[in-house]
């Protein structure tokens, strides 16, 4: 057994769990060990029932006096136990856990953790964590308990995989590989930080808060360090790649193109287009990132660039993260470029999916399916006469563009939209396949400058820091539960006036999982009852591409009034007629993310609204949401996010816009600067890192992220 052992092969995991763990993106033992808790419950206060104060989280050791299931009139099952630690009896209560009476019996010695409350004058703990202690040594300096009496790790979960399960497995497996862990950090760089093995031990099962913090520091440093190293090494390598033939820039034609646009380019758009033009005239391939707020108009800049490429008799590949976006871009680019005799084609995974679903037999061949398949086929035919994007000069697609089947000769430019949604390897692969042409990536994720220097050390940056004139500020309101019905009335009224609405269902887990989809479906059913006369549709990331496409198209062509969706799928969607976006459980999202979601509306001339539903308006989380009512600057909001959420208890996934960090947050600027310094020093001494095979191996890992099919 080692880090690379597939989870499926580990005894005690088995097929069912291995499948479930895949939903958390965990495939190997290493993945599992790098599945870090996102918080700890502090049950380290071991005390006695007599001394415990109401409202305090405590751990007690004692004996079960009685335990029984009680069936209430509403057919609920409550398990009640009387527990005595020798100072005062206390009541333990669990809901819907009737099996507990099989696991816990009168006379058992237990350690229990939970919050002390008082009910009908009796001390009690509701839903306590528990574990048996009869077998535990009395001097437990090694803290052998897992679920009680310590800082208890709480993990990102998925349906059928609880934190309790994860805790148990990690505690069992980690010690077996601890000896094999070799620290890739050279000693002088590691300095005072925890060695890797201890950091991994302490992040899961910290002895105390200080150790937990040290573990986070060390592992956070690693994340930033390796990314910094990877980007700087990439920059070094970039300077060595073959030269390209400089483009001829036909300013007259470009100006004509700009003049014919249905709007005037903003100053910022012009500036960025100018920067691209300058790059095109060089003999080094461009490697540029456009960062621009949602709705700032990045697509048209890329279209102008594609036009210049076409004037130099070369093709452009345009990769988008989802089929929805790919089709949207396909249509936009067709409108912009076809008048100049440029054929635009589309290449997504659907063809494959189509033939696959046909091969599946009758089961799936419902009438809707074939209607949907036709929609895609139509688009494909109109794009390129039925051929998969062969003769087109601008080819839009999803990661299907990475397919070996796509001819990639004469590519002059690769554009990657919403680049943060792709892995490093996918971008590199596309670039290689297209034989290193000019490379333009785009993102709407606001990135503070210091962060950008580390994460995008290999790229030149262009910023569109201006929205088109006349763009409406989206009126934003935090809506408490008691105003929900009023807001539904408002929505119905707006729809009656011809407007359309997005409803975003809450984010249950850091990424879209079955649980999230399930919640979305439940919400959808509820909403259908709320708006029985309106046409609603549901969109989520786990649907088939063709279905997604039909649903988005229906929404864009106003066939649907309300589009209910998860937060994941519709990044970048553009429907100017949608004027309201409702976000359920808004407190679960970061401010910057909410700002991006808000950018789905306010794209036309009509007044637009963002309604942030939250259950508890008085909580800190809801107060945080208030910033959105007055702040419309994505970067400011991102910085606020980091200040508020970047420290303390919540240290969930920080999205860098490029790499996913489990621990490191951008708020830790000092750490960022330190890592950048360290990597620069290291590379200047040893540009190929020959002296550091472990570091090199680690970089390979970063470069070989799993590719979606
Ligand atoms: P994003 O930068 O978020 O990708 P898009 O490229 O989708 O933004 O543009 C958003 C909308 O703004 C599109 O409908 C586009 O046609 C429009 N748009 C782009 N540039 C301008 C401009 N200079 N003036 C007015 N509208 C513009
Ligand atoms: Mg966009």
């Amino acid at each position: 057994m080692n880090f690379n052992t597939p989870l499926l092969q580990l005894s005690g995991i088995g097929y069912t769990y291995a499948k479930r763990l895949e939903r958390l993106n965990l495939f190997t033992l290493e993945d599992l060990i790098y599945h870090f808790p996102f918080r700890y419950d502090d049950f380290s206060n071991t005390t006695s029932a007599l001394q415990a104060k109401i409202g305090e989280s405590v751990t007690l050791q004692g004996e079960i006096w009685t335990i029984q299931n009680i069936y209430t009139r509403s057919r609920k099952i409550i398990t009640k136990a009387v527990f005595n630690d020798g100072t005062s009896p206390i009541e333990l209560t669990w809901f819907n856990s009737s099996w507990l009476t099989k696991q816990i019996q009168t006379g058992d010695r237990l350690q229990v953790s939970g919050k002390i409350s008082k009910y009908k004058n009796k001390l009690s703990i509701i839903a306590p964590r528990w574990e048996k202690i009869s077998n535990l040594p009395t001097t437990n300096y090694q803290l052998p308990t897992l679920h009680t009496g310590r800082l208890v790790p709480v993990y990102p979960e998925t349906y059928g995989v609880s934190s309790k399960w994860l805790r148990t497995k990690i505690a069992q497996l980690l010690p077996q590989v601890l000896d094999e862990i070799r620290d890739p950090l050279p000693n002088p760089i590691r300095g005072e930080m925890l060695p890797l093995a201890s950091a991994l031990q302490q992040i899961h099962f910290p002895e105390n808060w200080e150790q937990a913090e040290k573990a986070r520091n060390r592992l956070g440093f690693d994340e930033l360090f390796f990314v910094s190293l990877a980007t700087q090494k990439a920059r070094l390598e970039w300077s060595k790649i073959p030269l390209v033939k400089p483009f001829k820039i036909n300013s007259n034609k470009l100006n004509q193109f700009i003049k014919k646009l249905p709007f005037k380019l903003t100053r910022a758009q012009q500036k960025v287009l100018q920067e691209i033009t300058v790059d095109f005239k060089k003999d080094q391939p461009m490697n540029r990132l456009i960062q621009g707020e949602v709705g700032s108009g990045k697509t048209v800049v890329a279209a102008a660039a594609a036009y210049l490429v076409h004037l130099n008799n070369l093709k452009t590949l345009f990769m988008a993260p989802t089929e929805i976006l790919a089709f949207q871009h396909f249509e936009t680019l067709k409108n912009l470029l076809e008048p100049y005799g440029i054929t635009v084609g589309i290449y997504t995974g659907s063809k494959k999916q189509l033939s696959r679903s046909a091969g599946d037999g009758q089961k799936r061949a419902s009438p809707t399916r074939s209607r949907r398949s036709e929609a895609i086929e139509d688009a494909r035919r109109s794009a390129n006469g039925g051929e998969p994007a062969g003769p087109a000069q601008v080819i839009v697609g999803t990661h299907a563009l990475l397919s070996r089947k796509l001819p990639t000769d004469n590519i002059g430019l690769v554009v990657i939209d919403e680049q943060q949604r792709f892995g490093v390897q996918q971008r590199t692969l596309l670039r290689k396949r297209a034989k290193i042409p000019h490379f333009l990536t785009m993102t709407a994720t606001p990135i503070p400058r210091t962060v950008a220097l580390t994460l995008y050390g290999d790229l030149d940056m262009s910023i569109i820091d201006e929205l088109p004139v006349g763009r409406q500020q989206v009126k934003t309101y935090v809506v408490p539960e008691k105003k929900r019905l009023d807001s539904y009335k408002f929505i119905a009224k707006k729809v009656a006036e011809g407007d359309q609405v997005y409803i975003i269902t809450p984010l249950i887990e850091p990424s879209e999982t079955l649980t999230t989809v399930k919640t979305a479906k439940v919400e959808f059913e509820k909403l259908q009852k709320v708006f029985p006369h309106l046409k609603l549709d549901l969109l989520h990331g786990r649907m088939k591409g063709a279905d997604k496409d039909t649903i988005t198209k229906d929404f864009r062509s106003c066939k649907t009034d309300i589009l209910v969706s998860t937060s994941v799928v519709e990044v970048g969607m553009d429907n100017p007629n949608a004027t309201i976006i409702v976000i359920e459980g808004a407190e679960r999202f970061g401010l910057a993310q909410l700002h991006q979601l808000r950018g789905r509306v306010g794209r036309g001339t009509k007044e637009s609204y963002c309604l942030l539903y939250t259950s508890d308006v008085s909580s800190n989380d809801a107060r945080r949401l208030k910033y959105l009512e007055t702040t419309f600057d994505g970067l400011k909001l991102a910085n606020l996010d980091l200040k508020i959420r970047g420290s303390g208890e919540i240290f969930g996934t920080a999205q860098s816009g490029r790499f996913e960090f489990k621990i490191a947050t951008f708020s830790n600027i000092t750490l960022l600067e330190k890592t950048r310094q360290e990597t620069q020093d290291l590379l200047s001494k040893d540009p190929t890192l020959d002296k550091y095979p472990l570091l090199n191996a680690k970089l390979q890992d970063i470069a070989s992220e799993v590719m979606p099919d």
Side-chain angles (χ1 to χ4, degrees):
M1 182 170 75
N2 60 39
F3 260 36
N4 297 324
T5 310
L7 291 169
L8 188 59
Q9 287 173 20
L10 295 175
S11 65
I13 290 196
Y15 182 80
T16 312
Y17 271 98
K19 275 286 155 209
R20 290 176 186 169
L21 290 165
E22 282 181 9
R23 294 203 302 262
L24 291 167
N25 266 329
L26 310 179
F27 300 89
T28 63
L29 181 56
E30 179 172 23
D31 297 338
L32 182 65
I33 285 171
Y34 274 84
H35 189 61
F36 299 141
F38 65 94
R39 71 177 160 91
Y40 304 98
D41 286 335
D42 190 346
F43 292 128
S44 55
N45 177 14
T46 305
T47 177
S48 67
L50 204 60
Q51 277 165 345
K53 296 186 192 67
I54 312 267
E56 210 175 21
S57 286
V58 299
T59 295
L60 306 173
Q61 293 188 346
E63 190 182 320
I64 293 288
W65 277 8
T66 64
I67 181 162
Q68 59 179 325
N69 287 327
I70 297 167
Y71 297 81
T72 69
R73 248 175 287 162
S74 52
R75 291 177 174 264
K76 295 220 171 72
I77 300 170
I78 301 177
T79 309
K80 274 195 189 292
V82 177
F83 176 82
N84 194 341
D85 74 340
T87 65
S88 164
I90 182 167
E91 195 169 71
L92 309 178
T93 309
W94 292 272
F95 298 101
N96 297 321
S97 315
S98 57
W99 66 86
L100 280 175
T101 51
K102 296 210 182 69
Q103 296 180 351
I104 307 173
Q105 261 107 38
T106 301
D108 281 350
R109 285 192 59 73
L110 252 54
Q111 176 160 288
V112 299
S113 289
K115 204 185 250 182
I116 297 281
S117 57
K118 203 163 199 178
Y119 181 68
K120 290 193 177 153
N121 236 358
K122 269 193 258 173
L123 281 184
S124 69
I125 302 181
I126 309 288
R129 318 281 181 84
W130 61 275
E131 58 201 301
K132 293 197 184 176
I133 50 169
S134 37
N135 309 329
L136 296 180
T138 37
T139 52
N140 52 357
Y141 74 99
Q142 267 198 318
L143 295 170
T145 59
L146 290 180
H147 315 297
T148 61
R150 55 169 309 132
L151 293 181
V152 178
V154 182
Y155 297 91
E157 298 172 356
T158 184
Y159 183 70
V161 180
S162 65
S163 279
K164 189 166 187 175
W165 187 90
L166 286 162
R167 227 175 270 144
T168 313
K169 285 299 157 198
I170 293 170
Q172 172 201 330
L173 294 165
L174 181 59
Q176 301 182 48
V177 280
L178 223 43
D179 288 344
E180 284 175 35
I181 296 172
R182 289 197 294 159
D183 198 332
L185 277 195
N187 269 333
I189 294 181
R190 178 164 68 78
E192 304 272 277
M193 287 187 292
L194 287 185
L196 183 58
S198 335
L200 288 171
Q201 170 86 30
Q202 292 295 326
I203 191 104
H204 291 290
F205 304 108
E207 276 160 40
N208 50 43
W209 283 110
E210 190 193 338
Q211 288 299 315
E213 189 59 32
K214 278 192 173 162
R216 281 181 52 209
N217 274 343
R218 165 61 212 262
L219 296 165
F221 179 88
D222 279 16
E223 290 179 337
L224 295 173
F225 180 81
F226 291 122
V227 162
S228 181
L229 198 60
T231 57
Q232 296 202 35
K233 201 153 176 272
R235 173 149 252 177
L236 273 179
E237 274 156 22
W238 190 247
S239 57
K240 281 186 258 159
I241 63 166
L243 303 182
V244 292
K245 201 170 129 216
F247 280 5
K248 289 204 186 68
I249 303 295
N250 188 330
S251 310
N252 272 343
K253 284 195 169 170
L254 179 62
N255 288 336
Q256 280 294 320
F257 176 88
I258 293 171
K259 231 187 232 156
K260 285 257 167 67
L261 290 172
F263 40 72
K264 192 173 174 306
L265 286 186
T266 61
R267 203 187 28 79
Q269 282 172 317
Q270 287 174 31
K271 187 190 73 201
V272 172
L273 188 53
Q274 179 60 28
E275 285 165 349
I276 293 172
T277 315
V278 170
D279 284 352
F280 277 169
K281 287 194 243 178
K282 293 184 186 158
D283 59 5
Q284 266 256 308
M286 169 172 77
N287 194 18
R288 184 169 287 282
L289 171 70
I290 304 183
Q291 189 199 324
E293 285 255 358
V294 253
S296 61
K298 294 181 286 293
T299 319
V300 66
V301 174
Y307 178 57
L308 288 173
V309 173
H310 170 73
L311 291 178
N312 284 272
N313 297 317
L314 292 170
K315 296 181 187 176
T316 295
L317 290 183
F318 196 123
M319 183 158 80
T322 63
E323 270 182 51
I324 298 172
L325 267 188
F327 274 95
Q328 185 179 293
H329 284 316
F330 168 64
E331 269 159 32
T332 308
L333 293 171
K334 220 166 46 163
N335 289 337
L336 290 170
L337 297 172
E338 270 186 352
Y340 300 90
I342 302 172
T343 327
V344 182
I346 181 138
Y347 197 71
T348 70
S350 304
K351 186 124 192 168
K352 224 172 28 181
Q353 268 169 5
L354 278 177
S355 47
R356 226 191 288 146
S357 63
D360 270 358
Q362 260 86 45
K363 209 168 62 215
R364 291 232 197 113
S366 66
T368 31
R369 164 147 292 280
S370 60
R371 177 170 68 96
R372 285 173 181 172
S373 312
E374 267 167 36
I376 289 223
E377 271 307 303
D378 281 353
R380 197 185 306 282
R381 265 193 299 275
S382 75
N384 42 51
E387 284 301 305
Q393 283 121 30
V394 173
I395 303 164
V396 188
T398 56
H399 53 255
L401 290 180
L402 297 169
S403 148
R404 251 174 256 278
K405 280 183 233 134
L406 185 78
T408 48
D409 41 329
N410 295 326
I411 306 290
L413 170 68
V414 166
V415 181
I416 300 193
D417 192 24
E418 307 289 350
Q419 59 90 29
Q420 73 280 2
R421 309 273 305 260
F422 293 98
V424 189
Q425 198 210 8
Q426 290 172 296
R427 292 189 303 252
T428 316
L429 189 67
L430 187 58
R431 185 148 55 167
K432 281 213 180 109
R433 211 152 266 170
K435 303 179 189 78
I436 325 267
H438 293 294
F439 196 63
L440 185 63
T441 52
M442 312 202 284
T443 183
T445 309
I447 317 143
R449 207 187 116 74
T450 358
V451 178
L453 280 174
T454 295
L455 300 189
Y456 300 92
D458 53 332
L459 303 179
D460 295 315
M461 293 265 281
S462 286
I463 299 173
I464 306 188
D465 51 4
E466 182 184 12
L467 291 179
V469 282
R471 200 48 61 84
Q472 307 269 341
Q473 232 170 41
V474 178
K475 293 204 165 153
T476 304
Y477 302 99
V478 179
V479 181
E481 200 52 43
K482 61 175 192 270
K483 295 250 174 86
R484 179 184 284 263
L485 285 180
D486 288 345
S487 70
Y488 283 158
K489 273 186 215 150
F490 173 74
I491 290 169
K493 186 181 131 229
K494 281 285 169 190
V495 172
E497 290 169 12
D499 290 11
Q500 287 169 285
V501 181
Y502 294 99
I503 297 183
I504 309 296
T505 58
L507 183 78
I508 309 297
E509 294 170 46
S511 62
E512 188 163 333
T513 60
L514 286 182
T515 321
T516 310
V517 169
K518 215 171 95 191
T519 322
K521 284 182 182 156
V522 173
E523 290 286 329
F524 179 64
E525 276 159 26
K526 266 196 234 158
L527 287 161
Q528 275 181 318
K529 286 187 195 121
V530 176
F531 301 107
H533 306 298
L534 303 183
K535 172 99 177 59
L536 279 72
D537 236 336
L538 173 67
L539 184 67
H540 62 75
R542 300 221 159 201
M543 286 173 154
K544 285 263 147 48
D547 294 351
K548 282 193 220 165
D549 180 52
T550 314
I551 289 169
T552 347
K553 271 203 179 138
D554 283 354
F555 188 62
R556 290 232 283 165
S557 60
C558 303
K559 278 188 203 150
T560 323
D561 302 313
I562 299 180
L563 185 65
V564 181
S565 96
T566 54
S567 63
V568 190
V569 281
E570 37 56 80
V571 58
M573 224 164 84
D574 189 32
N575 175 1
N577 193 52
T579 61
I580 302 179
I581 183 161
V582 171
I583 300 165
E584 285 279 358
E587 70 277 356
R588 292 177 191 244
F589 296 87
L591 295 178
Q593 198 185 358
L594 289 167
H595 178 66
Q596 291 211 10
L597 287 169
R598 165 166 79 178
R600 300 286 83 77
V601 298
R603 294 185 158 238
T605 46
K606 289 196 215 170
E607 184 129 68
S608 298
Y609 304 86
C610 171
L611 307 179
L612 304 168
Y613 286 7
T614 176
S615 42
D616 182 7
V617 261
S618 59
S619 68
N620 276 338
D621 257 342
R623 269 199 288 279
R624 179 175 65 90
L625 297 178
K626 282 271 174 193
Y627 284 114
L628 285 159
E629 294 184 346
T630 50
T631 311
F632 295 87
D633 176 337
L635 194 54
K636 231 186 225 165
L637 289 167
N639 280 324
L640 269 170
D641 252 345
L642 299 171
K643 241 190 247 152
I644 306 167
R645 305 216 309 175
S647 61
E649 263 205 318
I650 309 160
F651 46 87
T653 317
Q655 250 229 323
S656 65
R658 189 168 201 192
F659 304 94
E660 280 219 21
F661 293 138
K662 292 185 174 132
I663 294 186
T665 63
F666 306 144
S667 54
N668 211 332
I669 298 296
T670 359
L671 193 59
L672 262 180
E673 271 159 14
K674 181 165 178 246
T675 47
R676 196 165 71 242
Q677 200 53 53
E678 302 279 17
T679 47
Q680 258 164 13
D681 290 353
L682 196 64
L683 282 171
S684 64
K685 280 186 221 129
D686 184 358
T688 49
L689 297 176
D690 284 343
K691 278 198 228 99
Y692 304 98
L694 286 175
L695 278 183
N696 255 328
K698 195 81 196 171
L699 290 186
Q700 300 276 309
D701 277 357
I702 293 183
S704 65
E705 293 162 321
V706 262
M707 264 174 58
D709 53 349

